[in-house]
Amino acid sequence: MSRDFVDLSDAGGSVLAAMIDDAIDRKAARKDWPKGKPDADAPLAGHVLAMIFEKNSTRTRVSFDMAMRQLGGSALILESGSTQLGRGETVADTARVLSRMVDAIMIRTDDHAKIEELARHADVPVINGLTDLSHPCQIVADLLTIVESGFSLPGLQLAWLGDGNNVVNSLIEAAGLMKFTVRIGGPLGYEPDAGFVERARAAGGEVIFTQDPVEAVRGAQVVVTDTWVSMGQVGGDVHVAAMQPYQVNPALMSAAAEDAMFLHCLPAHRGEEVTDDVIDGPQSAAWDEAENRIHAQKSVLLWALGKL
Ligand code: CP
Ligand code: NVA
């Protein structure tokens, strides 16, 4: 049985903590090295990751490629539209063939059921690089960014503003696994997935909803937002209008804890969900967060391939 990383719960809380520790150690050990130079132990030498993209990506694409290089392996990109998958070859047959050719598969796709099917039929680990439902790799990077800034995850007070999308679903899952609080400020009708909320609460995470953005951020140590309209989502004027009160701007940040950290998975829509002065300001860790995609995914890859 291969270790799939379709969602954070596939790894669980203690593995997640170990992933963060390992990422911190590996990041420190290669400080100031050229970015493509392999880590001293090159633990994935000879290993190849296939990356399937059915949606656009900058960070996920580059960070997985660089992660594999730093671990001593390599990656190849399959743009779905130029593969037979894009012409209707089944997900199951694609899984069987790629399992004979590469050591692991990362996929960015729309329907979550597609990655579950891929994982069911692949003999090698399958990693979720974002679906309409979740974005677990992003959240490993976010947790790494939070922990390396000196915060402890259990008991952390985190606020999410805006749309109840794939990123917040994985954040909620993390709250259950690592026992922290997510206060969600957003309009009625744009809530995150109810299943993620229920499971996180059952696991000991706190998930609180409010329509009042100030109440959402009050006392929060970390403030997080994302695009109001995700890839493939039908947005429209009504959706965007409903999100306006949840813009993260200096006035809203001033209601959070002093020196609260601001995170955004990027790409940002400046002037919509966040203003320039917040994302470019001293409380923003968005660029560390982006870099941490590499370090976090190295841990995910190592775990998936049985090396962590
Ligand atoms: N945050 C993130 O996943 O970015 P990309 O869409 O550029 O991969
Ligand atoms: N919620 C966003 C995340 C992009 C990385 C989307 O799905 O488009």
Side-chain angles (χ1 to χ4, degrees):
M1 266 270 292
S2 57
R3 283 181 177 174
D4 300 313
F5 191 71
V6 174
D7 276 305
L8 296 169
S9 303
D10 292 334
S14 53
V15 169
L16 208 46
M19 283 180 180
I20 293 166
D21 287 348
D22 194 62
I24 288 172
D25 290 346
R26 283 190 178 274
K27 183 176 176 179
R30 58 172 301 115
K31 192 172 158 14
D32 299 329
W33 285 18
K35 295 182 178 67
K37 182 175 166 178
D39 289 355
D41 58 345
L44 293 189
H47 290 70
V48 177
L49 172 75
M51 303 194 276
I52 304 173
F53 284 98
E54 299 197 312
K55 285 181 173 182
N56 291 42
S57 167
T58 298
R59 278 144 290 266
T60 302
R61 174 185 308 238
V62 177
S63 59
F64 265 107
D65 194 327
M66 293 306 294
M68 284 304 290
R69 290 177 200 222
Q70 292 186 6
L71 293 169
S74 60
L76 53 90
I77 291 180
L78 304 171
E79 299 287 0
S80 173
S82 61
T83 65
Q84 299 292 6
L85 184 63
R87 288 185 57 246
E89 185 170 12
T90 68
V91 170
D93 286 352
T94 304
R96 291 181 185 111
V97 171
L98 289 180
S99 296
R100 299 292 184 99
M101 295 184 173
V102 300
D103 300 291
I105 303 166
M106 189 282 293
I107 183 166
R108 168 167 284 198
T109 187
D110 40 25
D111 188 358
H112 198 73
K114 213 183 281 183
I115 189 173
E116 290 175 333
E117 190 181 355
L118 190 70
R120 236 183 353 264
H121 293 281
D123 298 327
V124 297
V126 170
I127 298 171
N128 181 352
L130 180 147
T131 68
D132 288 350
L133 187 67
S134 62
H135 197 2
C137 289
Q138 179 66 53
I139 299 309
V140 184
D142 290 12
L143 299 185
L144 168 60
T145 311
I146 292 167
V147 170
E148 74 177 1
S149 304
F151 295 107
S152 150
L153 292 177
L156 183 83
Q157 299 292 312
L158 182 149
W160 172 274
L161 278 305
D163 192 36
N165 65 16
N166 43 9
V167 176
V168 75
N169 285 339
S170 292
L171 197 51
I172 289 167
E173 186 176 28
L177 296 172
M178 308 312 280
K179 321 289 181 227
F180 61 87
T181 299
V182 185
R183 277 207 303 278
I184 296 160
L188 274 183
Y190 297 90
E191 289 83 6
D193 180 80
F196 275 83
V197 174
E198 200 180 304
R199 288 190 295 276
R201 284 178 174 157
E206 204 172 353
V207 187
I208 298 165
F209 291 96
T210 173
Q211 286 167 260
D212 178 351
V214 174
E215 194 184 316
V217 301
R218 191 172 290 129
Q221 298 160 287
V222 183
V223 177
V224 194
T225 191
D226 183 17
T227 180
W228 287 337
V229 183
S230 288
M231 291 182 279
Q233 200 177 18
V234 183
D237 293 346
V238 176
H239 184 135
V240 171
M243 295 293 158
Q244 297 295 334
Y246 305 96
Q247 181 188 69
V248 182
N249 51 38
L252 194 59
M253 282 303 285
S254 71
E258 203 184 336
D259 297 331
M261 168 189 276
F262 172 75
L263 295 178
H264 191 310
C265 67
L266 306 173
H269 302 76
R270 291 164 175 263
E272 292 190 14
E273 75 273 6
V274 64
T275 56
D276 287 338
D277 35 16
V278 170
I279 196 166
D280 297 328
Q283 288 169 270
S284 172
W287 320 110
D288 292 330
E289 181 186 8
E291 177 191 331
N292 280 340
R293 292 293 302 278
I294 298 179
H295 308 296
Q297 280 152 203
K298 285 166 74 177
S299 297
V300 172
L301 287 160
L302 287 173
W303 174 76
L305 287 158
K307 312 253 181 209
L308 185 88

